[in-house]
Amino acid sequence: MTSFFKDIAFKISLVLLLLQYGLGFSQTAISVTSEVDTTSIKIGEQIRFKIQVEADSTAQIVFPEGQTFSPLEMVEVIMTDTVRKLDRITLQKIYALTQFDSGSYTLPRQQVVINGQNFFTDSVKIAVATIPVDTLSQKMYDIKPFLEVEKSNIDLWKNALWIFLSFAVIGMLVYWFLIRKKNLSEEEKVALLPPYDRALLELKRLENSKYIIQDEYKQYYSELTDIVRSYLEEDVHVSALESTTDQLIEKLELLKDAGELKLDDETIDQFKKVLQTADLVKFAKSKPETSVAEQDRKAIEQIVIKTKEALPEPDEEDLLLDEEYQEVLSRKKQKKKWTMAAAVSIGILFLTTIVSIGYYGWKPVKDTLLGHPTKILLEGDWLNSTYGYPPVNLETPSVLLRQDIKLTPEVKATVKEAQVFTFSDPDALFYIGVSSTTFSSQETEPDFQNSVEQVLKSFEAKGAKNITTKQEEFKTISGTLGLKIYGSGKFTLPQSNEEVNGKYAIIIFGGKGFQQQIIINWMEDDGYAENIVNRITNSIEVKTGA
């Protein structure tokens, strides 16, 4: 009986134990924690960052590869440790991290994937301090003098050669296509003659040819008939080239009967005989006497002359048609000239672009042609203006516009008036903001640290990450002292939500009863923006009293 109760008691305690672990598992099923051994180091020192995961022993725990600790740098993974206890598992990973630049940094949240679900650690602020240099115990050395180096003129000569060659090529193109008068060939000169003069000149050439001597009668008669047919096409306006002998003679007789061609019957009959002889030579391989061939050429010459004389004087309509034709020719010539000029201009533009790229580099030329946002701002008309009260005077590439600021009741308790003026170019991640604040009490001292934190929070609210901060004293041209907080981070472009590397600067002045603040934000590696920021900061001037 005693053993029975002992067995029952053992089973009950076992159930209670299982329930206890079951309840514990349900309450703390997964735990992801992190810690650092210190939040303040010197440049180059290391911190130990530990991530601890506690979960069920069957859980799948993954630390994704390629996680970044930026802006801190990972030196090594010191240790990976796994501890199992009953149905629980505890996994620890320790990383050695460092930073080689002073400032305040945020160690970003790290991701752990457990059973396909994402868990994140908390972010941690890490302060990196500079290492003081002991100038008393450590021997100091003078700065080494400058060494004179003979200046190389190779690049200068290269650029000069590029410019000379480009202008030489441009000059040759302009001369060749626009200035030079082309010498016409003999064929082009003949083609420009009136139909009548051209026909007589071609008949004279045929007379001096060697066709008859070389017994080439077919070629001789082919050219002879082509000359007269082409003339009739152009001057008489009759389709002669495609007509047979009979068709052509019939067309001429119709023109004669209509009074449009005053040729006598003897001339037409003579023309018909020459055409018939030519047909026999070309198609029946007939071979006339040399004297006959000579007489046929002379007959065709007389036919051309008599046809020219038989043509009626051009009336007003013909003259008008000829004038329209000349106008069309003139337009064609003008169009050809403009086409040539356009081609030369494109060539000059192309060569100029190539030379500019060789001299200035691809990026400046591209930014000039396509229009880089901050380059346009830098090279535009700048304004020197005063904003707010107490006044802030500075030079900007564009006017800053006043913003309507509504103060909350809590802020109104301490702030009398706040004036804000801004300019922004979202595509270039460029922003300038100037604010001037007066407090309700003339004895109130400005809280610079709180102001900086509010600006950084506004950056983070707009998607900024991994923001680094540095600070230094700022002095205006007149010697007024202020505080400059600056750094870099990942910023989000408003238009595309694209993350880019950016920089910022916060310059604050103030005294009893007032505070003045300038905020500038721009894209990293933007040389034009850097020049703009330098010009703005070098022009800042403030009044040190309300």
Side-chain angles (χ1 to χ4, degrees):
M1 191 69 175
T2 303
S3 61
F4 173 76
F5 284 112
K6 285 183 180 180
D7 186 47
I8 293 296
F10 173 74
K11 290 180 179 179
I12 292 173
S13 63
L14 182 60
V15 171
L16 290 175
L17 183 62
L18 289 173
L19 287 173
Q20 180 181 354
Y21 276 102
L23 289 172
F25 177 73
S26 63
Q27 291 171 358
T28 59
I30 297 174
S31 172
V32 178
T33 58
S34 63
E35 62 180 33
V36 291
D37 59 346
T38 179
T39 58
S40 178
I41 60 172
K42 294 179 181 179
I43 292 177
E45 287 185 346
Q46 296 181 9
I47 64 170
R48 294 195 173 194
F49 177 57
K50 181 174 72 174
I51 301 176
Q52 180 172 300
V53 179
E54 186 177 348
D56 183 67
S57 59
T58 59
Q60 294 183 347
I61 303 171
V62 178
F63 288 83
E65 294 294 332
Q67 292 203 88
T68 176
F69 297 94
S70 179
L72 275 71
E73 299 180 21
M74 186 182 79
V75 179
E76 62 175 328
V77 179
I78 297 176
M79 184 180 67
T80 301
D81 187 25
T82 304
V83 177
R84 296 179 181 274
K85 186 177 180 181
L86 296 178
D87 58 348
R88 305 291 291 166
I89 184 173
T90 301
L91 182 64
Q92 289 184 355
K93 292 196 82 167
I94 300 177
Y95 303 89
L97 310 176
T98 189
Q99 174 56 250
F100 297 98
D101 198 1
S102 62
S104 177
Y105 301 91
T106 300
L107 175 60
R109 299 189 305 163
Q110 298 300 308
Q111 180 185 11
V112 181
V113 181
I114 305 175
N115 294 331
Q117 185 178 357
N118 293 330
F119 292 84
F120 294 91
T121 64
D122 294 330
S123 59
V124 184
K125 290 280 187 181
I126 304 296
V128 181
T130 57
I131 300 175
V133 178
D134 187 356
T135 59
L136 297 177
S137 60
Q138 184 175 353
K139 186 177 180 181
M140 304 299 289
Y141 298 91
D142 291 335
I143 298 174
K144 290 185 178 181
F146 289 107
L147 295 177
E148 291 188 6
V149 179
E150 185 178 351
K151 186 177 180 181
S152 173
N153 294 321
I154 293 177
D155 291 338
L156 182 62
W157 280 108
K158 282 183 179 179
N159 294 333
L161 181 62
W162 267 100
I163 294 172
F164 172 77
L165 289 176
S166 63
F167 278 106
V169 173
I170 291 170
M172 286 169 41
L173 288 173
V174 171
Y175 169 77
W176 185 262
F177 291 107
L178 298 181
I179 300 175
R180 180 182 68 96
K181 292 183 178 180
K182 294 175 63 178
N183 294 323
L184 299 176
S185 64
E186 288 299 321
E187 290 78 8
E188 290 174 329
K189 290 179 180 178
V190 172
L192 292 173
L193 292 173
Y196 174 74
D197 296 333
R198 188 167 66 251
L200 293 181
L201 181 62
E202 289 176 346
L203 287 170
K204 190 68 177 175
R205 286 182 178 174
L206 185 62
E207 180 185 6
N208 297 327
S209 70
K210 297 181 180 180
Y211 290 137
I212 296 176
I213 298 173
Q214 295 174 351
D215 209 22
E216 296 178 356
Y217 284 93
K218 182 177 180 180
Q219 185 68 27
Y220 178 84
Y221 273 96
S222 294
E223 290 194 14
L224 180 64
T225 54
D226 284 344
I227 291 170
V228 68
R229 284 173 181 269
S230 295
Y231 168 71
L232 292 174
E233 285 247 350
E234 293 183 77
D235 249 6
V236 184
H237 306 297
V238 60
S239 56
L241 290 172
E242 295 85 6
S243 301
T244 63
T245 296
D246 293 337
Q247 290 172 342
L248 179 56
I249 296 301
E250 184 180 353
K251 290 175 183 178
L252 294 177
E253 288 176 343
L254 288 173
L255 290 173
K256 180 179 80 69
D257 295 340
E260 296 181 10
L261 187 64
K262 298 176 181 179
L263 276 178
D264 55 71
D265 292 336
E266 184 180 352
T267 302
I268 294 177
D269 289 341
Q270 183 65 33
F271 185 35
K272 183 176 182 181
K273 288 179 182 178
V274 175
L275 291 177
Q276 288 174 342
T277 302
D279 289 343
L280 290 172
V281 172
K282 290 189 289 184
F283 303 113
K285 298 183 179 180
S286 174
K287 184 179 178 182
E289 296 292 333
T290 303
S291 59
V292 173
E294 288 287 350
Q295 289 299 322
D296 285 346
R297 190 202 62 78
K298 291 179 181 178
I300 289 296
E301 185 175 342
Q302 289 300 312
I303 289 167
V304 170
I305 295 172
K306 289 181 179 180
T307 303
K308 176 66 175 176
E309 295 172 350
L311 288 172
E313 292 294 325
D315 56 14
E316 187 176 346
E317 184 178 354
D318 292 333
L319 292 173
L320 184 62
L321 288 173
D322 185 63
E323 185 179 346
E324 291 177 355
Y325 175 72
Q326 293 300 327
E327 187 178 348
V328 170
L329 275 181
S330 176
R331 284 201 297 268
K332 285 184 177 179
K333 289 180 181 178
Q334 192 71 18
K335 183 179 180 181
K336 185 177 180 181
K337 191 173 181 180
W338 279 110
T339 303
M340 195 69 69
V344 172
S345 300
I346 292 172
I348 291 173
L349 179 62
F350 177 75
L351 282 173
T352 304
T353 304
I354 294 298
V355 172
S356 300
I357 292 173
Y359 186 79
Y360 297 105
W362 164 246
K363 191 175 186 304
V365 174
K366 175 183 71 71
D367 292 340
T368 300
L369 293 177
L370 302 182
H372 193 282
T374 50
K375 187 176 189 294
I376 295 172
L377 288 175
L378 178 63
E379 297 175 353
D381 296 328
W382 282 59
L383 303 169
N384 194 306
S385 302
T386 301
Y387 299 94
Y389 185 81
V392 178
N393 183 272
L394 73 167
E395 196 177 10
T396 58
S398 181
V399 66
L400 308 184
L401 301 179
R402 181 189 290 271
Q403 305 298 316
D404 293 329
I405 302 298
K406 293 183 180 180
L407 302 178
T408 62
E410 293 81 3
V411 175
K412 284 183 178 180
T414 56
V415 174
K416 180 181 178 181
E417 185 180 10
Q419 301 171 63
V420 178
F421 305 84
T422 66
F423 166 80
S424 65
D425 186 340
D427 294 332
L429 187 70
F430 190 80
Y431 170 87
I432 310 170
V434 174
S435 66
S436 189
T437 306
T438 54
F439 301 120
S440 302
S441 172
Q442 292 293 327
E443 300 302 317
T444 302
E445 293 281 356
D447 186 349
F448 288 174
Q449 192 63 37
N450 181 59
S451 298
V452 171
E453 289 180 1
Q454 294 303 318
V455 173
L456 297 181
K457 284 181 180 179
S458 69
F459 286 162
E460 292 176 346
K462 294 177 182 177
K465 293 187 273 188
N466 302 335
I467 300 174
T468 64
T469 58
K470 302 177 186 179
Q471 73 176 49
E472 61 185 30
E473 185 182 81
F474 183 87
K475 184 183 290 187
T476 66
I477 303 171
S478 63
T480 304
L481 294 178
L483 182 65
K484 179 180 178 182
I485 294 88
Y486 61 100
S488 61
K490 285 277 188 182
F491 293 86
T492 302
L493 292 176
Q495 304 293 339
S496 60
N497 290 328
E498 178 188 358
E499 286 190 353
V500 296
N501 294 323
K503 292 184 176 181
Y504 72 93
I506 308 166
I507 303 172
I508 307 177
F509 304 91
K512 289 186 177 182
F514 75 96
Q515 178 177 300
Q516 299 144 310
Q517 182 172 273
I518 299 100
I519 303 172
I520 311 175
N521 188 202
W522 70 98
M523 197 177 296
E524 194 174 356
D525 299 328
D526 184 348
Y528 308 115
E530 294 281 358
N531 291 333
I532 292 175
V533 173
N534 291 336
R535 185 169 173 180
I536 292 173
T537 54
N538 290 335
S539 69
I540 293 174
E541 194 56 74
V542 297
K543 184 179 178 182
T544 57

